[in-house]
Amino acid sequence: MWIPRSTMFTDFTAAIFFAIVIHKFLMMMIKECGGQKLLLRRFENGRFKISTGPCCCCCLCLPRVRITRRTLFWLKLGTFQFAFLRPVFMFLSIVLWTNGNYTLYSLSPKGAAIWISCFVGVLTITALWPVAIMFQQVRTLLTCKNIIPKFALYQFILILNHLQTAIINVLAMQRIIPCAPPLSSSARGAYMTQQLLIMEMFLITLMSRVVYRRRYDDLEPPECTAEEAVDNKQISKIILNGAVSEDGLPRV
């Protein structure tokens, strides 16, 4: 707020944090289901609905995908690439900005800002898609763990951190936000963005503490299959009948 030229560095820090949050939110949903192994057991006959936002919400004809280790790997890779590449692009932006080759509000195709913004936009959409797919699958199962309020807070952070900032930047570029010496229009836009985010994130932090900082009961283990149930019954009968010796071998 007090040093407008530090906006690039504050955005760099916030971008790293939010990129990691997206990946950790996906991992949290998997862990809340008991981990990857139990998740695969719970949904061994289930299928992921991939016709969801932000990529394919209008493509209702897309087939459902089986829930396997491979599909879980691709979902985790989709969020991990954002956690890895977003800081790289932000670091590249800062390097170009210090050399005078990067202007945040420049939309010229010859400039680096428009290309980096497009790449980051594609990475963001690619990372948000796996989170939405997983949420659609587990929201009923994790209702007891308040997964819907958690996801709502996650969406609020996404909207405020990206959409709100983009709208204010556009207004600053069009000079709708007037300059107020010594601050230019762009500096005033960044100033207003930081003011709003500080207040909004403080309120979201308070709500997040209510949802996250509490203990939830573990989910009941998934029901065993019919073959496992039969095997367990046979083993219990053998033990009850005393047909097993002390060394673990069957008695003749």
Side-chain angles (χ1 to χ4, degrees):
M1 287 176 61
W2 305 113
I3 308 175
R5 289 182 66 84
S6 69
T7 302
M8 287 291 296
F9 298 96
T10 56
D11 289 346
F12 175 65
T13 307
I16 293 176
F17 180 79
F18 187 71
I20 295 174
V21 163
I22 292 179
H23 180 64
K24 297 295 286 185
F25 193 85
L26 176 68
M27 300 304 295
M28 182 199 70
M29 288 191 288
I30 296 176
K31 188 176 181 180
E32 292 285 7
C33 292
Q36 180 170 312
K37 291 183 179 179
L38 285 180
L39 176 66
L40 292 173
R41 287 187 61 187
R42 293 180 192 278
F43 301 105
E44 58 183 352
N45 297 322
R47 292 178 178 269
F48 281 127
K49 179 184 177 182
I50 61 175
S51 57
T52 182
C55 284
C56 303
C57 55
C58 298
C59 304
L60 301 178
C61 58
L62 289 177
R64 292 176 178 259
V65 180
R66 287 191 60 191
I67 301 175
T68 61
R69 290 182 182 274
R70 187 177 182 84
T71 53
L72 285 180
F73 169 77
W74 284 111
L75 291 181
K76 289 187 285 188
L77 183 63
T79 55
F80 180 78
Q81 56 84 21
F82 186 64
F84 176 76
L85 294 177
R86 178 71 188 276
V88 172
F89 277 107
M90 289 300 298
F91 179 76
L92 178 62
S93 302
I94 290 178
V95 172
L96 295 175
W97 176 70
T98 54
N99 290 333
N101 300 327
Y102 182 91
T103 304
L104 182 62
Y105 303 103
S106 175
L107 298 179
S108 173
K110 296 182 179 180
I114 184 66
W115 296 106
I116 291 178
S117 299
C118 290
F119 278 121
V120 170
V122 172
L123 294 177
T124 304
I125 293 174
T126 307
L128 296 177
W129 193 26
V131 177
I133 292 173
M134 181 61 70
F135 173 74
Q136 292 291 334
Q137 187 68 33
V138 303
R139 64 177 180 179
T140 304
L141 178 66
L142 298 181
T143 303
C144 60
K145 297 199 175 189
N146 282 336
I147 192 62
I148 295 178
K150 291 176 182 177
F151 187 77
L153 291 172
Y154 156 82
Q155 293 285 72
F156 277 130
I157 295 173
L158 172 67
I159 293 172
L160 296 175
N161 199 32
H162 287 77
L163 184 61
Q164 175 182 267
T165 303
I167 292 174
I168 294 178
N169 288 341
V170 170
L171 295 177
M173 280 192 301
Q174 300 298 324
R175 308 293 180 183
I176 296 176
I177 299 176
C179 61
L183 299 178
S184 62
S185 296
S186 59
R188 272 200 81 198
Y191 183 81
M192 293 172 61
T193 300
Q194 303 300 332
Q195 283 182 317
L196 290 172
L197 285 177
I198 287 172
M199 293 184 292
E200 292 162 352
M201 294 304 157
F202 175 73
L203 295 176
I204 289 178
T205 301
L206 296 179
M207 291 185 286
S208 297
R209 286 185 64 87
V210 175
V211 178
Y212 282 94
R213 301 286 291 183
R214 56 178 296 187
R215 286 187 174 274
Y216 295 99
D217 296 330
D218 294 333
L219 296 176
E220 295 182 359
E223 297 180 358
C224 58
T225 60
E227 295 179 358
E228 292 177 347
V230 172
D231 293 339
N232 292 335
K233 288 182 179 179
Q234 291 178 351
I235 293 172
S236 61
K237 286 181 180 179
I238 292 173
I239 294 174
L240 291 175
N241 294 332
V244 178
S245 61
E246 295 180 355
D247 57 358
L249 297 175
R251 295 175 180 174
V252 180

